[in-house]
Amino acid sequence: MSFSGFVVQLLNGLAGASSLFLVAAGLSLIFGVTRIVNFAHGSFFMVGIYVAYSLVENLGASVGFWPSLLLAALAVGVLGALVEVLLLRRIYRAPELFQLLATFALGLVIKDGVLWFWGPEELLGPRAPGLSGSVSILGRQFPSYDLFLIVAGPVVLGLLWLLLTKTRWGTLVRAATQDREMVSALGVNQAWLFTAVFALGAVLAALGGALQLPREPANLDMDLHIIGAAFVVVVVGGMGSIPGAYVAALLIAELKAICIWLGLVEVLGLSISFSKLTLVVEFLVMAVVLVARPWGLFGRPQAPSRHASAAEQPLRAPGPLYVYGGAAVLAALALVPEFTLESPYVTVLLIDLLVAVLFAASLHFIMGPAGMHSFGHAAYFGLGAYGAALLVRGLDVPMEVALVIAPLLAGIGAFVYGWFCVRLSGVYLAMLTLAFAQITWAICYQWDSLTGGSNGLTGVWPADWLADKRMYYYLTLALVAGAVLWMHRMLYSPFGYGMRASRDSVLRSDAIGIDVKRMQWVAFVVAGTFAGLAGALYAFSKGSISPESLHVAKSIDGLVMVLLGGLQTLVGPVVGAVTFTWLHDTVARNTDYWRALLGGIILILVLLFPLGIAGSFNQLLSHLRGGHKERS
């Protein structure tokens, strides 16, 4: 660790902060005006670098390197405008989480579009003309192009400041960030304002990608890598705050640079690898900031949206059709293995479906009735899975006992994390759950001596009497059915009604004596415990567990299941889990471009069923019953 190395790492951090700021600034603008949590924003970054590569290769000699980068950003801006006009404009009045689902599906389609057009290979662009060399700083060589990036960030920040503060359009954008409905009431064409903002956000993301062309090769994983970091920057800086995004990007990039500079450090005889913290440092920063200042460093409390979803009907006891239908489904599931003796894979798929149902039902328990949105529910699924694996492998605990203890370990994790999470709401609550999940993932990914690191743990098999997959299927069916029915029963208890009351009106609930935070905390622990049971069942069904079970992708899968089925229906998570898992399995086995097909199907379902599959079906039944009563 030398002073010159420290300075060079700080400069590296500044260069990285500029690229991250461009992506985060576009994301912040889009969310501030449209209130859309745009999961496809990372796709615009990825498309930007791919388009820049093609334009530089084909037009670089005639047009030039730098104009090619700008043209790439503008081309992606046009793509962003088309996405807003053709897709997002149709769902602005849908619940915000369904807009998130649509952008997630759009990201799947774009990823496979890039795969089809450019192929799976990494594409490395040429050096930037005039900036291909390096300069000496304190005896160390530093790339000239990185110095350009250090300057580019503040320049873009200044241009955005001028645009937003010195132009009429910028005034309208800032007004829409505070209250978009009032802007519309004053006669402003809200639709075209949204289109312009979305296009500008896409241009900034694509420009951030294009500027990375001389630094790193274009690859198909760039979208997922950048979107997580961009969300963190936006939340830490404050949703809708451009200066906040720049400060947050600087803070996170420099902390990462310092961790790399420190490397391996001996503290009181213990070796601490600070370089490993680079995987999780941004989420640690986000967790600390959100706990200390819930609106971010430069943010303000959000104005409530007037595009809320329709009020839910009061919970009523299940009717005969619901009860008999559920019993018939359970009976059919119990008989399925007897008819699939020649197809063992069907039994394996059914186990996966049941585990997905329990995972989705546990997430729905806090998202629907409790109104707490979570982007990190996979943390408790993973804690249950790793808890079961470590109990069986490390402590020689019988599998039956591990199935009891592992969910309790996940519940303890939810108990700790939930204490912080229930103090926030909305997107800030969701991002704090994501932070805790990524911290948990990083621990499992790097603690080689305990969790097996990136390789995970193997040899996690069920007891001998469950070696037959059919027997294990029956155990899974019994536990999942019991857990789902228990959660449903809790919703009809005084606790369930209190939870729904706390979701619908915090002030009224508090006035009649309901401890809202404690109610939400208990719901968080219950949901985490059942997610841990799903994780334990998953670990024993596969015989192994890896850090992927805690990754953000797993949390997104659960979110998609809940939203696809319907947030405002009790059977929604069951329908959504079965639909998504079956579609994922079927599509992935039949085409190389399964993401595009799956994303397209999800987009169609979102457009046709804005309340989810089960929610829209329930609404249709209500209309039919209402029409029948009127005719009577």
Side-chain angles (χ1 to χ4, degrees), residues 354-356 358-359 362 377-389 402-403 406-407 410 460 472 480 527-546 549 554:
L354 290 172
V355 171
L358 181 54
F359 179 57
S362 66
H377 203 59
Y380 317 111
F381 182 90
L383 285 174
Y386 270 97
L403 270 180
V460 189
Y472 190 79
V480 170
T529 301
F530 284 116
L533 176 59
L537 289 171
Y538 175 83
F540 286 119
S541 72
K542 301 300 180 185
S544 63
I545 190 65
S546 71
S549 62
K554 184 68 177 180

Side-chain angles (χ1 to χ4, degrees), residues 70 116 155 166 192 223 235 237 269 298 316 384 399 433 485 492:
L70 293 176
W116 173 78
V155 169
K166 302 300 181 181
W192 289 113
D223 55 345
V235 171
F298 292 82
R316 296 184 177 89
M399 175 259 188
T433 61
L485 290 174
Y492 292 99

